[in-house]
């Protein structure tokens, strides 16, 4: 390392100074967009460098936060709520640099500056020079933004941001749906079209292909499907792979279709069905190349927070997919019964959401616009019937929330922590149906849907919604996994409400 005076440099330069521990740093003022407080919510981005604290959204932009202390020392402390973040504009992409305190605006004369150079690979290379103040008693280290932040996907981020701006100037684009799930402390989502089913964790069978990534296999509709531990995939607190591992009640397996391979992903919980538009997917500036293609962007919803939207086709490399598919296909061929079955109705399938309302029911997913968490942020105007929970403001649209337990004369829930609201859409109106919990998403053949037995169809029985349901679906399985569920019809419910509330008559018409 050597220093040279910058006597030939132009006139006074402006810098913003910041404090990190006992050191003072500065950044060229021209690249500082603003300084903000540490956000209340920050999402950890998997497979990222140790110095990346996470990402957060600020006015429709995803900003990665670099912990400067960990750039120099990986063991430096994590961020704290009192820290500050300087937002840098780096090649048109915004990046946050975390400091402990803000300093001041410095006007620096050429003779107060010096520049530094380093051997390649020196982590101190992010310090581009120094500023001497107070007759040499105060040393401020000048950071080089280009050396500090090396974003791997700048062109892709700028291209996506440009496309978003163009779309925003036109009418809103295609409405899409994704399913959000949680792994560790972060929320992720798959596009709905990628998901075949979401199931409770069955007993996993050992596989000769078991690894830290592959927990084992399950029998899914006659085929052996590899189950991948999503936590291990994301390199976040991975547990040892074991088919004998105990699973928590909220954990689920998301069965996804990637090209022509079916793969199960073990996740900590499945949270919501999220409705979004393409222009709402914000680009994530990435500071790592590891599986970078899997991060499709970020969706931010006030009621849900930031959700990392995944590109399911890019989660694995082509070789990884081929090995999983070919290995299990050759070692564990399809059941003969599944191969030979030729019922023409089996080609027609419907996707159902199963939910709890004392018992378990199913509703076609196409009848539900989205699913949100139940919260206390519901206003109850006077004069509403008992089964109307109140009004909910969902992204500037008021929604009438119907408490199905109250409607069907059931006792109220003792604990509403797992309660969800199914948002149904009729024309321009949205209505919310409050249920105890959402359990699974599954694809069922039309050949497994039947007329309900007459003894179930008894509208006069209070506390049993099955009296209003004309059909059931038969879910194949062994022992307790074989179930018959009544099919909930949203239009049937709206017709009933129209009779009980004249204000809804126009909706049901």
């Amino acid at each position: 390392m050597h220093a040279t005076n910058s006597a030939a440099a132009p006139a006074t330069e402006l810098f913003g100074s910041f404090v990190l521990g006992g050191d003072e740093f500065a950044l060229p003022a021209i690249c500082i967009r603003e300084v903000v407080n540490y956000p209340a919510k920050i999402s950890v981005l998997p497979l990222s460098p140790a110095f990346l604290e996470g990402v957060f959204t600020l006015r429709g932009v995803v900003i990665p936060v670099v912990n400067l202390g960990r750039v120099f020392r990986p063991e430096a402390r994590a961020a704290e709520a009192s820290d500050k973040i300087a937002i840098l504009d780096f090649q048109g992409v915004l990046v946050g640099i975390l400091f402990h305190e803000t300093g001041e605006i410095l006007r620096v004369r050429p003779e107060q500056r010096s520049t530094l150079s380093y051997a390649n690979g020196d982590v101190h290379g992010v310090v581009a020079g120094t500023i001497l103040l107070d007759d040499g008693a105060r040393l401020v280290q000048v950071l080089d933004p280009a050396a500090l932040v090396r974003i791997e996907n700048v062109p892709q981020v700028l291209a996506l941001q440009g496309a978003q701006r163009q779309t925003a100037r036109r009418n809103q684009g295609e409405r899409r749906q994704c399913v959000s799930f949680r792994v560790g402390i972060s929320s992720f989502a798959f596009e709905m079209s990628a998901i075949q089913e979401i199931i409770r964790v069955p007993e996993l069978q050992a596989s000769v292909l078991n690894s830290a990534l592959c927990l084992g296999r399950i029998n899914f509709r006659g085929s052996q499907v590899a189950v991948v531990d999503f936590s291990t995939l994301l390199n976040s607190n991975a547990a040892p792979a074991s088919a004998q591992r105990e699973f928590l009640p909220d954990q689920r397996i998301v069965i996804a279709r990637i090209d022509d391979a079916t793969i199960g992903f073990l996740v900590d919980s499945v949270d919501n069905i999220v409705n979004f538009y393409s222009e709402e997917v914000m680009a994530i500036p990435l500071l790592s190349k590891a599986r970078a293609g899997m991060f499709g962007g970020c969706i931010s919803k006030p009621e849900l927070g930031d959700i990392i939207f995944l590109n399911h086709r890019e989660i694995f490399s082509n070789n990884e997919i081929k090995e999983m598919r070919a290995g299990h296909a050759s070692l564990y061929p399809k059941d003969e019964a599944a191969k030979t079955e030729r019922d023409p109705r089996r080609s027609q399938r419907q996707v159902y959401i199963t939910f709890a309302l004392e018992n378990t029911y199913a509703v076609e997913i196409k009848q539900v616009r989205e699913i949100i968490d139940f919260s206390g942020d519901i206003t109850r105007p006077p004069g509403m019937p008992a089964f109307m929970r109140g009004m909910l403001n969902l992204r500037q649209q008021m929604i009438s929330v119907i408490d199905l337990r109250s409607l069907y004369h059931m006792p109220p829930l003792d604990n509403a922590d797992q309660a969800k609201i199914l948002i149904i859409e009729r024309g321009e109106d949205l209505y919310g149906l409050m249920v105890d919990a959402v359990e699974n998403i599954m694809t069922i053949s039309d050949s497994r849907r039947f007329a309900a037995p007459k003894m179930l169809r008894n509208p006069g029985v209070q506390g049993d919604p099955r009296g209003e349901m004309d059909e059931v679906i038969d879910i194949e399985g062994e022992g307790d996994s074989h179930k018959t569920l009544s099919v909930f019809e949203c239009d049937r419910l709206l017709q009933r409400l129209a009779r009980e509330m004249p204000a809804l008559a126009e909706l049901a018409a």
Side-chain angles (χ1 to χ4, degrees), residues 42-188:
I42 191 165
S43 297
V44 176
L45 192 64
L47 304 173
S48 58
F51 57 78
L52 184 68
E53 199 72 31
V55 299
F56 74 105
T57 55
L58 179 67
R59 294 188 290 278
V61 178
V62 179
I63 298 178
V65 178
V66 173
N67 185 329
L68 184 62
R70 289 184 169 176
V71 171
F72 297 117
R73 295 185 301 109
E75 69 277 9
R77 75 162 174 83
E80 296 180 356
S82 60
D83 290 340
K84 303 293 182 181
I85 297 175
I87 308 296
L88 304 188
D89 188 334
F90 174 77
Q91 298 180 7
V93 178
L94 300 186
V95 180
I97 308 298
L98 184 137
F99 295 92
H100 298 163
E101 299 175 36
T102 55
E104 58 186 298
I105 298 296
L106 304 175
R107 291 183 177 274
V108 180
R109 300 188 306 275
E111 64 270 18
Q112 295 175 301
R113 285 283 321 270
S114 67
T115 59
L116 303 173
S117 61
Y118 299 86
N120 290 338
D122 191 327
V123 294
H124 294 84
V126 298
V127 178
T130 60
I131 300 171
L132 285 177
L133 303 173
D134 301 338
D135 296 325
R138 179 182 173 192
L139 175 69
V140 181
Q141 301 176 68
V142 178
L143 296 171
D144 178 3
L148 179 63
V149 181
R150 299 191 184 279
I151 301 172
E152 298 292 345
N153 62 335
V154 166
Q156 294 92 327
V157 172
L158 295 178
L160 186 52
Q161 289 176 348
Q164 288 171 334
R165 287 191 290 268
Q166 289 180 5
T167 306
R169 286 194 288 266
R170 302 192 300 267
N171 295 330
Q172 284 189 317
E174 177 188 3
R175 193 169 71 193
R176 300 157 66 185
Q177 284 184 320
C178 62
V179 176
S180 69
F181 54 89
R182 190 166 294 274
V183 179
I185 62 173
S186 297
S187 290
F188 302 88

Side-chain angles (χ1 to χ4, degrees), residues 121-282:
D122 191 327
V123 294
H124 294 84
V126 298
V127 178
T130 60
I131 300 171
L132 285 177
L133 303 173
D134 301 338
D135 296 325
R138 179 182 173 192
L139 175 69
V140 181
Q141 301 176 68
V142 178
L143 296 171
D144 178 3
L148 179 63
V149 181
R150 299 191 184 279
I151 301 172
E152 298 292 345
N153 62 335
V154 166
Q156 294 92 327
V157 172
L158 295 178
L160 186 52
Q161 289 176 348
Q164 288 171 334
R165 287 191 290 268
Q166 289 180 5
T167 306
R169 286 194 288 266
R170 302 192 300 267
N171 295 330
Q172 284 189 317
E174 177 188 3
R175 193 169 71 193
R176 300 157 66 185
Q177 284 184 320
C178 62
V179 176
S180 69
F181 54 89
R182 190 166 294 274
V183 179
I185 62 173
S186 297
S187 290
F188 302 88
F190 277 147
E191 186 105 36
M192 180 69 78
S193 59
I195 295 176
Q196 290 186 266
E197 293 193 17
I198 295 173
I199 61 175
R200 293 184 181 275
V201 184
E203 182 178 351
L204 299 186
Q205 303 299 315
S207 168
V208 295
L209 299 179
N210 276 26
S211 64
L213 197 61
C214 181
L215 289 172
R217 58 189 171 91
I218 58 173
N219 186 317
F220 177 72
R221 305 200 181 283
S223 297
Q224 298 300 316
V225 172
V227 176
V228 170
D229 188 335
F230 213 93
S231 177
T232 302
L233 180 70
L234 301 177
N235 198 26
S236 59
N237 302 320
S242 170
Q244 306 304 317
R245 174 174 156 190
E246 291 189 10
F247 300 101
L248 300 175
D250 287 343
Q251 288 187 294
R252 295 290 187 270
I253 293 179
V254 178
I255 308 293
R257 189 76 172 171
I258 302 177
D259 295 328
D260 59 345
T262 301
I263 296 176
F265 295 95
L266 175 71
V267 301
D268 292 343
S269 67
V270 173
D271 296 335
N272 296 291
I273 293 178
V274 182
N275 203 65
F276 69 101
Y277 291 93
S278 297
E279 58 267 27
E280 292 182 86
V281 181
M282 297 173 286

Side-chain angles (χ1 to χ4, degrees), residues 2 9 115 142 168 186 285 341 444 481-482 492:
H2 67 274
T115 59
V142 178
S186 297
E341 196 168 46
I444 302 295
S481 65
H482 191 130
R492 182 82 170 262

